[in-house]
Amino acid sequence: QVQLEESGGDFVQPGGSLRLSCVATGKTFDIAAMGWFRQPPGKARELVATITTGGTTNYGDSLKGRFTISRDNAKGTLYLQMNRLQPDDTATYYCNALVRTLVYWGQGTQVTVSS
């Protein structure tokens, strides 16, 4: 099993930046890929970005350029650098990990962008 814990969510003004972290514990050596998803209030969960063990990344529509996903395999930690945040980025952000055919999820961290 893999356990995931997100942190770094906060209240930020439009145009600001945040960096989210997700620490993976347990059988982390079996993780093939990790990702960030978000769920805005009243909406479905959507893709933010994913990254494989080899470093191949994939981003949701219109987020590349403002958001950057990275991972430190040695530390078992996934990051999401978010710049030029806008109110539409307000959401609960979740990290996940793919282990063979299983997907593990964290509990989420709240990001609120408002003036």
Side-chain angles (χ1 to χ4, degrees):
Q1 277 197 337
V2 172
Q3 296 80 39
L4 303 171
E5 183 172 358
E6 304 97 334
S7 62
D10 205 344
F11 183 99
V12 62
Q13 292 187 340
S17 297
L18 282 176
R19 188 174 84 154
L20 305 183
S21 299
C22 174
V23 177
T25 57
K27 294 185 177 181
T28 59
F29 51 85
D30 285 336
I31 294 175
M34 298 184 74
W36 289 100
F37 287 72
R38 67 184 184 183
Q39 188 163 15
K43 297 184 179 180
R45 195 170 294 190
E46 60 187 24
L47 169 70
V48 175
T50 61
I51 185 167
T52 66
T53 302
T56 300
T57 58
N58 179 51
Y59 290 88
D61 292 343
S62 77
L63 295 179
K64 190 174 184 178
R66 290 196 302 125
F67 290 12
T68 303
I69 190 171
S70 61
R71 65 190 283 186
D72 185 329
N73 292 327
K75 295 182 178 179
T77 303
L78 179 72
Y79 303 100
L80 183 68
Q81 178 66 42
M82 305 186 293
N83 298 325
R84 303 193 302 278
L85 285 161
Q86 298 301 318
D88 285 348
D89 296 317
T90 294
T92 302
Y93 284 71
Y94 299 90
C95 77
N96 73 2
L98 174 65
V99 179
R100 295 188 178 89
T101 59
L102 297 177
V103 178
Y104 296 90
W105 291 91
Q107 293 298 307
T109 186
Q110 180 66 37
V111 173
T112 302
V113 185
S114 176
S115 56

